Amino acid sequence: MAFIVVLLFLLAVRYWWGALPRIAGSYPANWFSWINGVLSGAAAYLAGVVLPALVLAWVSNGFETILFGLPALLLHLGVMLFVLHAPSPEMTFDALQVEARQSTSEHVLLADAQGQTLRSLLSNLHQGFFVYVFWYLLLGPGGALFCFLQRHYERQGNSGEANPNALGATVVEDAQAISRWLIGLSIRVSLLLLALVGRFREGWPFFIASLKDWSIDEGDLLHAGVCLGLAPEFEPETELDSAGYLDWLQDFEGLISRLFFGWIGLAALLTLLS
Protein backbone atom coordinates (compact mmCIF):
# COMPACT_ATOMS: atom_id res chain seq x y z
CA MET A 1 0.00 0.00 0.00
CA ALA A 2 2.76 2.44 0.93
CA PHE A 3 4.44 1.85 -2.42
CA ILE A 4 1.22 2.57 -4.35
CA VAL A 5 0.60 5.79 -2.42
CA VAL A 6 4.17 7.03 -2.87
CA LEU A 7 4.20 6.06 -6.55
CA LEU A 8 1.01 8.05 -7.21
CA PHE A 9 2.30 11.18 -5.49
CA LEU A 10 5.80 11.03 -6.97
CA LEU A 11 4.48 10.72 -10.52
CA ALA A 12 1.81 13.38 -9.93
CA VAL A 13 4.25 15.95 -8.55
CA ARG A 14 6.85 15.30 -11.23
CA TYR A 15 4.58 15.33 -14.28
CA TRP A 16 1.45 17.23 -13.26
CA TRP A 17 1.56 20.76 -14.70
CA GLY A 18 0.63 22.53 -11.49
CA ALA A 19 1.58 22.82 -7.84
CA LEU A 20 0.25 20.28 -5.36
CA PRO A 21 -2.50 22.19 -3.52
CA ARG A 22 -2.13 23.16 0.13
CA ILE A 23 -5.10 21.54 1.85
CA ALA A 24 -4.08 21.94 5.50
CA GLY A 25 -4.73 25.69 5.48
CA SER A 26 -5.11 27.20 8.95
CA TYR A 27 -6.01 23.93 10.68
CA PRO A 28 -2.54 23.36 12.22
CA ALA A 29 -2.42 26.93 13.60
CA ASN A 30 -5.91 26.58 15.06
CA TRP A 31 -5.03 23.20 16.53
CA PHE A 32 -1.94 24.48 18.34
CA SER A 33 -3.75 27.61 19.44
CA TRP A 34 -6.34 25.44 21.16
CA ILE A 35 -3.74 23.06 22.63
CA ASN A 36 -1.66 25.92 24.04
CA GLY A 37 -4.76 27.42 25.59
CA VAL A 38 -5.28 24.23 27.60
CA LEU A 39 -1.76 22.90 28.20
CA SER A 40 1.77 24.26 28.34
CA GLY A 41 5.38 23.18 27.86
CA ALA A 42 6.13 19.50 27.26
CA ALA A 43 2.50 18.49 27.86
CA ALA A 44 1.36 20.76 25.01
CA TYR A 45 4.01 19.28 22.71
CA LEU A 46 3.05 15.69 23.56
CA ALA A 47 -0.68 16.38 23.14
CA GLY A 48 -0.30 18.52 20.02
CA VAL A 49 2.36 16.58 18.11
CA VAL A 50 3.02 13.10 19.46
CA LEU A 51 -0.47 11.97 20.50
CA PRO A 52 -2.21 12.66 17.12
CA ALA A 53 0.53 10.77 15.28
CA LEU A 54 0.22 7.76 17.61
CA VAL A 55 -3.58 7.74 17.34
CA LEU A 56 -3.38 7.92 13.54
CA ALA A 57 -0.86 5.08 13.44
CA TRP A 58 -3.15 2.94 15.62
CA VAL A 59 -6.26 3.73 13.56
CA SER A 60 -4.57 3.14 10.20
CA ASN A 61 -3.21 -0.19 11.43
CA GLY A 62 -6.70 -1.26 12.45
CA PHE A 63 -8.09 -0.38 9.02
CA GLU A 64 -5.65 -2.71 7.27
CA THR A 65 -7.91 -5.75 7.75
CA ILE A 66 -11.22 -4.06 6.82
CA LEU A 67 -12.63 -4.42 3.26
CA PHE A 68 -9.31 -5.60 1.83
CA GLY A 69 -7.55 -2.50 3.17
CA LEU A 70 -9.58 -0.01 1.10
CA PRO A 71 -10.40 2.26 4.12
CA ALA A 72 -6.70 2.21 5.04
CA LEU A 73 -5.74 3.21 1.49
CA LEU A 74 -8.18 6.12 1.54
CA LEU A 75 -6.85 7.17 4.95
CA HIS A 76 -3.25 7.07 3.71
CA LEU A 77 -4.13 9.15 0.64
CA GLY A 78 -6.07 11.65 2.75
CA VAL A 79 -3.24 12.10 5.23
CA MET A 80 -0.66 12.59 2.49
CA LEU A 81 -2.87 15.10 0.67
CA PHE A 82 -3.24 16.95 3.97
CA VAL A 83 0.48 17.20 4.75
CA LEU A 84 2.02 17.51 1.27
CA HIS A 85 2.55 20.73 -0.63
CA ALA A 86 4.94 20.82 -3.57
CA PRO A 87 5.75 23.12 -6.50
CA SER A 88 5.53 21.87 -10.07
CA PRO A 89 8.94 20.99 -11.55
CA GLU A 90 7.27 20.76 -14.97
CA MET A 91 5.96 24.32 -14.73
CA THR A 92 9.27 25.66 -13.39
CA PHE A 93 11.40 24.14 -16.15
CA ASP A 94 8.95 25.17 -18.88
CA ALA A 95 9.02 28.76 -17.60
CA LEU A 96 12.84 28.79 -17.51
CA GLN A 97 13.04 27.43 -21.06
CA VAL A 98 10.60 30.05 -22.35
CA GLU A 99 12.60 32.76 -20.55
CA ALA A 100 15.84 31.51 -22.11
CA ARG A 101 14.36 31.46 -25.62
CA GLN A 102 13.01 34.99 -25.24
CA SER A 103 16.22 36.37 -23.77
CA THR A 104 17.97 39.02 -25.88
CA SER A 105 21.35 38.56 -24.20
CA GLU A 106 23.97 36.47 -25.97
CA HIS A 107 25.14 34.67 -22.85
CA VAL A 108 23.53 33.43 -19.65
CA LEU A 109 25.32 33.08 -16.33
CA LEU A 110 24.08 29.93 -14.61
CA ALA A 111 24.55 31.33 -11.10
CA ASP A 112 22.21 34.26 -11.75
CA ALA A 113 18.41 34.49 -11.25
CA GLN A 114 17.81 31.13 -12.93
CA GLY A 115 20.08 29.46 -10.38
CA GLN A 116 18.09 31.03 -7.53
CA THR A 117 14.86 29.74 -9.08
CA LEU A 118 16.26 26.21 -9.22
CA ARG A 119 17.57 26.44 -5.65
CA SER A 120 14.12 27.54 -4.52
CA LEU A 121 12.49 24.69 -6.44
CA LEU A 122 14.75 22.07 -4.84
CA SER A 123 14.31 23.52 -1.35
CA ASN A 124 10.52 23.71 -1.67
CA LEU A 125 10.34 20.21 -3.11
CA HIS A 126 12.15 18.83 -0.13
CA GLN A 127 10.57 21.00 2.53
CA GLY A 128 7.02 20.32 1.34
CA PHE A 129 7.26 16.90 -0.28
CA PHE A 130 10.27 14.59 -0.03
CA VAL A 131 10.63 14.94 3.74
CA TYR A 132 7.06 13.70 4.26
CA VAL A 133 7.46 10.92 1.69
CA PHE A 134 10.55 9.71 3.56
CA TRP A 135 8.93 9.57 6.99
CA TYR A 136 5.77 8.07 5.51
CA LEU A 137 7.87 5.26 4.03
CA LEU A 138 9.57 4.64 7.37
CA LEU A 139 6.69 5.07 9.82
CA GLY A 140 3.49 5.16 7.78
CA PRO A 141 0.87 7.94 7.91
CA GLY A 142 1.62 8.50 11.59
CA GLY A 143 5.22 9.33 10.72
CA ALA A 144 4.16 11.81 8.02
CA LEU A 145 1.69 13.49 10.39
CA PHE A 146 4.27 13.65 13.19
CA CYS A 147 6.75 15.38 10.87
CA PHE A 148 4.05 17.78 9.68
CA LEU A 149 2.87 18.73 13.19
CA GLN A 150 6.44 18.88 14.47
CA ARG A 151 7.42 21.44 11.85
CA HIS A 152 4.31 23.54 12.45
CA TYR A 153 5.01 23.46 16.18
CA GLU A 154 8.52 24.71 15.49
CA ARG A 155 7.26 27.49 13.19
CA GLN A 156 4.81 28.58 15.86
CA GLY A 157 7.66 28.91 18.34
CA ASN A 158 9.81 30.83 15.84
CA SER A 159 7.02 33.19 14.79
CA GLY A 160 6.77 34.81 18.20
CA GLU A 161 2.98 34.76 18.01
CA ALA A 162 2.59 32.04 20.61
CA ASN A 163 2.95 32.59 24.33
CA PRO A 164 6.58 31.64 25.14
CA ASN A 165 5.58 30.69 28.67
CA ALA A 166 2.99 28.26 27.28
CA LEU A 167 5.40 26.69 24.81
CA GLY A 168 8.45 26.61 27.03
CA ALA A 169 11.81 27.80 25.73
CA THR A 170 13.51 24.44 26.23
CA VAL A 171 10.71 22.56 24.45
CA VAL A 172 10.88 24.97 21.49
CA GLU A 173 14.66 24.52 21.20
CA ASP A 174 14.26 20.75 21.33
CA ALA A 175 11.56 20.95 18.66
CA GLN A 176 13.88 22.97 16.40
CA ALA A 177 16.62 20.37 16.83
CA ILE A 178 14.18 17.55 16.00
CA SER A 179 12.97 19.36 12.86
CA ARG A 180 16.54 19.90 11.64
CA TRP A 181 17.18 16.19 12.11
CA LEU A 182 13.94 15.15 10.38
CA ILE A 183 14.64 17.34 7.35
CA GLY A 184 18.39 16.80 7.30
CA LEU A 185 18.15 13.01 7.23
CA SER A 186 15.72 13.04 4.30
CA ILE A 187 17.98 15.46 2.41
CA ARG A 188 20.92 13.07 2.83
CA VAL A 189 18.75 10.34 1.33
CA SER A 190 18.15 12.55 -1.72
CA LEU A 191 21.90 13.21 -2.00
CA LEU A 192 22.55 9.46 -1.89
CA LEU A 193 19.97 8.90 -4.62
CA LEU A 194 21.49 11.72 -6.69
CA ALA A 195 24.87 10.00 -6.43
CA LEU A 196 23.31 6.74 -7.63
CA VAL A 197 21.39 8.24 -10.57
CA GLY A 198 23.98 10.88 -11.49
CA ARG A 199 27.78 10.87 -11.46
CA PHE A 200 28.64 8.45 -8.66
CA ARG A 201 32.34 9.33 -8.56
CA GLU A 202 31.58 12.96 -7.67
CA GLY A 203 28.28 12.41 -5.85
CA TRP A 204 29.37 9.77 -3.35
CA PRO A 205 32.14 11.85 -1.69
CA PHE A 206 29.73 14.80 -1.54
CA PHE A 207 27.12 12.61 0.19
CA ILE A 208 29.71 11.39 2.72
CA ALA A 209 30.85 14.96 3.39
CA SER A 210 27.22 16.06 3.94
CA LEU A 211 26.93 13.58 6.79
CA LYS A 212 29.58 15.55 8.68
CA ASP A 213 28.12 19.05 8.21
CA TRP A 214 24.44 19.66 8.94
CA SER A 215 24.61 23.48 8.93
CA ILE A 216 24.39 24.03 5.15
CA ASP A 217 21.15 25.48 3.74
CA GLU A 218 18.89 22.79 2.24
CA GLY A 219 18.48 24.54 -1.11
CA ASP A 220 22.22 25.13 -1.52
CA LEU A 221 23.03 21.56 -0.49
CA LEU A 222 20.57 20.01 -2.92
CA HIS A 223 21.52 22.38 -5.75
CA ALA A 224 25.19 21.51 -5.30
CA GLY A 225 24.31 17.80 -5.28
CA VAL A 226 22.34 18.12 -8.51
CA CYS A 227 25.08 20.13 -10.22
CA LEU A 228 27.60 17.43 -9.29
CA GLY A 229 25.36 14.87 -10.97
CA LEU A 230 25.30 16.74 -14.29
CA ALA A 231 27.66 16.18 -17.18
CA PRO A 232 31.20 17.54 -16.54
CA GLU A 233 30.92 20.20 -19.24
CA PHE A 234 27.99 21.85 -17.41
CA GLU A 235 29.53 23.32 -14.27
CA PRO A 236 28.15 26.12 -12.07
CA GLU A 237 29.41 29.65 -12.77
CA THR A 238 29.83 28.73 -16.46
CA GLU A 239 28.80 31.26 -19.10
CA LEU A 240 26.78 29.64 -21.90
CA ASP A 241 24.95 30.82 -24.99
CA SER A 242 21.18 30.35 -25.22
CA ALA A 243 21.44 26.91 -26.86
CA GLY A 244 23.98 25.74 -24.28
CA TYR A 245 21.81 26.99 -21.44
CA LEU A 246 18.80 25.10 -22.83
CA ASP A 247 20.91 21.93 -22.98
CA TRP A 248 21.95 22.52 -19.36
CA LEU A 249 18.32 22.97 -18.33
CA GLN A 250 17.33 19.74 -20.08
CA ASP A 251 20.12 17.86 -18.31
CA PHE A 252 19.06 19.42 -14.99
CA GLU A 253 15.43 18.42 -15.58
CA GLY A 254 16.47 14.92 -16.62
CA LEU A 255 18.44 14.45 -13.40
CA ILE A 256 15.48 15.66 -11.33
CA SER A 257 13.32 13.09 -13.12
CA ARG A 258 15.83 10.37 -12.28
CA LEU A 259 15.78 11.56 -8.65
CA PHE A 260 12.01 11.00 -8.56
CA PHE A 261 12.48 7.51 -9.98
CA GLY A 262 15.22 6.97 -7.41
CA TRP A 263 12.65 7.69 -4.71
CA ILE A 264 10.29 5.20 -6.39
CA GLY A 265 13.05 2.60 -6.27
CA LEU A 266 13.66 3.37 -2.59
CA ALA A 267 9.95 2.97 -1.89
CA ALA A 268 9.96 -0.40 -3.66
CA LEU A 269 13.02 -1.54 -1.71
CA LEU A 270 11.57 -0.54 1.66
CA THR A 271 8.28 -2.23 0.75
CA LEU A 272 10.08 -5.48 -0.05
CA LEU A 273 12.13 -5.30 3.17
CA SER A 274 9.02 -4.74 5.26
Side-chain angles (χ1 to χ4, degrees):
M1 181 184 300
F3 175 74
I4 295 174
V5 172
V6 169
L7 177 65
L8 288 174
F9 280 107
L10 283 166
L11 293 178
V13 170
R14 176 59 192 92
Y15 295 107
W16 182 27
W17 206 80
L20 201 64
R22 188 186 298 274
I23 295 178
S26 61
Y27 289 113
N30 295 337
W31 167 250
F32 285 116
S33 177
W34 178 78
I35 287 292
N36 290 322
V38 178
L39 301 171
S40 62
Y45 175 77
L46 292 174
V49 178
V50 179
L51 183 60
L54 291 176
V55 171
L56 177 61
W58 178 72
V59 171
S60 64
N61 186 59
F63 281 1
E64 295 283 348
T65 57
I66 300 176
L67 294 176
F68 306 102
L70 180 59
L73 176 62
L74 296 177
L75 179 64
H76 285 223
L77 290 172
V79 170
M80 294 301 280
L81 280 172
F82 182 77
V83 303
L84 295 178
H85 176 67
S88 168
E90 194 80 3
M91 181 183 294
T92 301
F93 285 112
D94 283 353
L96 287 174
Q97 289 175 5
V98 170
E99 180 184 334
R101 291 189 179 98
Q102 294 177 345
S103 176
T104 57
S105 60
E106 294 183 358
H107 296 86
V108 180
L109 189 62
L110 297 185
D112 211 359
Q114 295 85 356
Q116 292 300 322
T117 299
L118 292 171
R119 281 180 174 85
S120 177
L121 169 67
L122 292 171
S123 181
N124 292 334
L125 269 177
H126 224 288
Q127 293 274 352
F129 183 66
F130 284 133
V131 62
Y132 299 118
V133 169
F134 177 69
W135 290 107
Y136 170 76
L137 285 172
L138 287 186
L139 302 175
L145 183 64
F146 170 78
C147 184
F148 178 79
L149 293 175
Q150 161 69 37
R151 296 184 64 206
H152 274 277
Y153 183 89
E154 178 206 0
R155 292 192 193 106
Q156 185 189 38
N158 291 335
S159 67
E161 298 176 0
N163 182 357
N165 294 325
L167 292 177
T170 303
V171 176
V172 171
E173 291 176 0
D174 291 342
Q176 293 171 349
I178 293 173
S179 290
R180 286 194 298 269
W181 182 76
L182 291 174
I183 298 171
L185 187 58
S186 61
I187 285 177
R188 270 67 187 178
V189 172
S190 281
L191 292 179
L192 174 60
L193 294 174
L194 283 170
L196 295 175
V197 302
R199 291 192 295 164
F200 185 79
R201 181 177 297 179
E202 290 76 13
W204 177 255
F206 185 76
F207 162 69
I208 296 299
S210 72
L211 298 176
K212 304 173 184 177
D213 186 359
W214 291 60
S215 63
I216 305 175
D217 176 77
E218 293 89 353
D220 291 338
L221 190 63
L222 289 169
H223 188 262
V226 171
C227 289
L228 281 174
L230 296 175
E233 59 267 23
F234 297 128
E235 299 291 348
E237 310 294 339
T238 301
E239 194 175 76
L240 301 173
D241 57 18
S242 180
Y245 176 66
L246 286 172
D247 289 341
W248 183 84
L249 268 181
Q250 289 176 356
D251 277 19
F252 199 106
E253 184 176 9
L255 184 57
I256 294 299
S257 295
R258 296 200 297 275
L259 174 62
F260 273 81
F261 281 99
W263 275 98
I264 292 175
L266 176 65
L269 178 61
L270 292 177
T271 300
L272 290 174
L273 293 177
S274 62

